[in-house]
Amino acid sequence: MRTQVGIVGAGPAGLLLAHLLDRAGVDCVVLESRSREYCEERQRAGLLEQGTVDLLNDLGVGARLAREGLVHHGLALRFEGVSHRIPLSELTGGKSVVIYGQTEVVKDLIAARLAAGRDFRFEAEAVALEGLDTATPAIRFREHGREQTLTCDFVAGCDGFHGICRPAIPEAKLTIYDRDYPFGWIGILSDSPPVSDELIYVNHDRGFALFTMRTPHVSRLYLQCEADEDIANWPDERIWDELRRRLGDAPELPQGAVTQKNVTPMRSFVAAPMRHGALFLAGDAAHIVPPTGVKGLNLAAADVRVLARALIAFYAERSPRLLDRYSDVCLKRVWKAQRFSWWMTSMLHRFDNHTPFERRMQLAELDYITGSRAGMTTLAENYVGLPFEDL
Ligand code: FAD
Ligand code: DHB
């Protein structure tokens, strides 16, 4: 088998890249280790920046998003029992964000690519990368119990944090920057309407909580928990009780059947550079952000936007000029998103090792950010997404 670009992984990064390349007539094959159903049901991110929405529209896969996505013009930060609204659109020249589950983005992208009859293999697991320093790299993969080889010009490593692409880079060629946080998040999906039309981020003495949604009838709710929390310790009633306590005496929290429950670790991670020879890493394969800043999925989309442009230019001009800039251009955005995600995480969570002084600093920062137009603007412009770097 041969193609121009071999894409490992059908998460948002791999799927968006495949669509961008298809549209420009660059041949690619997507290999995904999991089943289609698994990819479409995996609960993850829910909030899209304007730039990600624009990209989906540009690719012609934005029709359902336009119908069903919930456009948000503001959010609330709540601390010491009081909510403070940040008017995102007013502070950013009219930009907004959209609630539309990653599951829905993935469903739309898979359906459109299958409808176009493109080569797309589920349950095809990449097991090794070969010849990354040569002009003919190859992906060895296992499909239906049989090992096969896909030869290509370039490999796009879009296989997430636990994939095989990043580990295929010699250790000495990669610098890892990381930070683990001493807590995680319990996330639930509930068949109940959201408590508010806008998201509420809560800093509470008992820990962080986030009240978000998927639809006007389905809530997505998060609670700060121990890093190694056993979900078995959290029966539904305990979760609802804790959510109510952290929300305080705001409007009463609607309660419904819990249809999903999981624990997410919190981590900041960057592997640099994002390229080794013919291999280009994109999305979670190269970097992880704690979810407090909603940057994970949006960064994956920003990476492949740059990668697609560079690959398309390579085939049009036969010049590696833009490919050579891929990692530097992406990392500029990645580091700014890391900073914002780390800052939001630090400002909003409970840290058991905080001294009373550090706790007062956290509250003073929240008070400043919500009380000053400059403070609110710095949060808002990062939250809706900074402008794209030019390649
Ligand atoms: P992924 O979505 O991880 O896709 C990688 C794909 O590669 C997967 O489909 C995987 O099956 C496939 N793959 C892996 N190995 C192989 C192989 N060897 N061969 C073939 N295929 C392979 N972000 C937010 O902004 N907000 C959130 O609330 C949020 N919650 C999250 C909860 C969890 C549990 C996780 C893990 C992430 C969460 N994120 C969140 C982050 C966000 O979902 C990711 O940043 C986003 O999915 C990145 O997309 P990706 O395409 O880079 O990687
Ligand atoms: C969602 C998740 C987040 O981490 C966040 O900051 C905002 C929204 C969500 O799942 O809807």
Side-chain angles (χ1 to χ4, degrees):
M1 275 176 71
R2 177 163 175 89
T3 187
Q4 289 178 308
V5 182
I7 301 178
V8 186
L15 289 166
L16 284 166
L17 179 63
H19 276 270
L20 286 161
L21 295 178
D22 282 345
R23 187 177 64 167
V26 175
D27 192 43
C28 60
V29 172
V30 180
L31 303 174
E32 166 58 51
S33 57
R34 301 293 196 145
S35 67
R36 177 177 181 181
E37 296 67 37
Y38 183 91
C39 292
E40 291 185 345
E41 295 309 322
R42 196 168 29 192
Q43 273 307 320
R44 287 185 169 179
L47 193 135
L48 309 182
E49 292 175 359
Q50 182 98 51
T52 307
V53 172
D54 293 345
L55 182 62
L56 290 164
N57 284 329
D58 188 34
L59 286 168
V61 289
R64 195 161 70 93
L65 164 65
R67 280 198 311 275
E68 298 177 15
L70 305 173
V71 180
H72 284 223
H73 299 288
L75 59 79
L77 296 186
R78 190 172 166 84
F79 57 98
E80 296 193 302
V82 180
S83 291
H84 304 259
R85 182 169 190 265
I86 312 273
L88 297 171
S89 302
E90 194 188 311
L91 295 163
T92 58
K95 290 188 186 167
S96 54
V97 292
V98 178
I99 283 282
Y100 190 65
Q102 181 168 331
T103 46
E104 308 314 300
V105 174
V106 165
K107 277 180 206 161
D108 294 345
L109 289 168
I110 290 176
R113 187 163 162 87
L114 289 177
R118 305 292 185 180
D119 198 342
F120 193 158
R121 294 157 190 245
F122 289 102
E123 297 174 67
E125 183 184 9
V127 291
L129 304 184
E130 290 167 353
L132 294 176
D133 295 324
T134 70
T136 51
I139 307 169
R140 278 203 285 119
F141 67 100
R142 201 176 295 120
E143 191 181 22
H144 308 307
R146 200 161 64 88
E147 211 164 278
Q148 306 190 53
T149 302
L150 172 64
T151 309
C152 30
D153 300 332
F154 301 104
V155 178
C158 301
D159 52 347
F161 188 64
H162 300 288
I164 61 144
C165 290
R166 190 181 64 254
I169 301 177
E171 248 176 61
K173 301 273 182 177
L174 218 50
T175 305
I176 303 293
Y177 305 84
D178 63 348
R179 162 183 293 237
D180 287 331
Y181 297 86
F183 41 75
W185 282 10
I186 292 173
I188 64 165
L189 262 188
S190 159
D191 286 334
S192 51
V195 63
S196 151
D197 289 346
E198 295 185 339
L199 272 61
I200 309 177
Y201 288 81
V202 184
N203 173 309
H204 192 278
D205 286 338
R206 298 177 65 86
F208 170 78
L210 171 58
F211 296 79
T212 169
M213 65 205 71
R214 285 292 171 272
T215 72
H217 314 287
V218 175
S219 291
R220 176 83 167 141
L221 306 161
Y222 297 100
L223 279 176
Q224 177 180 352
C225 61
E226 298 299 321
D228 54 356
E229 191 72 66
D230 180 356
I231 196 70
N233 293 331
W234 286 84
D236 296 355
E237 248 341 292
R238 179 172 176 206
I239 293 179
W240 287 114
D241 188 48
E242 195 60 35
L243 284 166
R244 274 191 298 268
R245 285 193 186 202
R246 295 189 194 179
L247 184 62
D249 59 3
E252 189 154 333
L253 181 63
Q255 193 170 323
V258 175
T259 56
Q260 275 252 359
K261 205 171 3 174
N262 61 1
V263 175
T264 306
M266 304 282 280
R267 179 186 291 134
S268 302
F269 176 96
V270 178
M274 290 166 60
R275 173 197 189 169
H276 173 67
L279 169 64
F280 292 82
L281 300 177
D284 279 15
H287 41 72
I288 296 283
V289 284
T292 331
V294 281
K295 293 291 166 241
L297 185 164
N298 293 296
L299 267 187
D303 286 352
V304 295
R305 192 175 166 276
V306 177
L307 183 54
R309 273 204 199 173
L311 288 166
I312 292 163
F314 173 84
Y315 288 108
E317 305 166 10
R318 285 283 152 194
S319 156
R321 192 173 54 87
L322 297 187
L323 286 173
D324 289 345
R325 297 190 51 215
Y326 169 72
S327 179
D328 287 347
V329 168
C330 286
L331 284 169
K332 274 176 86 76
R333 186 179 190 81
V334 166
W335 279 118
K336 281 182 275 195
Q338 287 288 0
R339 186 204 69 82
F340 180 66
S341 304
W342 158 82
W343 175 67
M344 288 283 280
T345 303
S346 307
M347 183 167 68
L348 289 163
H349 287 75
R350 170 196 156 103
F351 287 78
D352 286 340
N353 62 355
H354 266 181
T355 61
F357 179 82
E358 286 165 317
R359 173 70 179 133
R360 292 312 314 180
M361 288 299 99
Q362 210 186 31
L363 291 170
E365 181 154 34
L366 281 162
D367 199 16
Y368 164 66
I369 287 295
T370 53
S372 138
R373 192 169 176 90
M376 286 196 283
T377 305
T378 194
L379 190 150
E381 68 177 356
N382 281 280
Y383 193 87
V384 302
L386 294 171
F388 288 118
E389 313 285 342
D390 261 334
L391 189 60

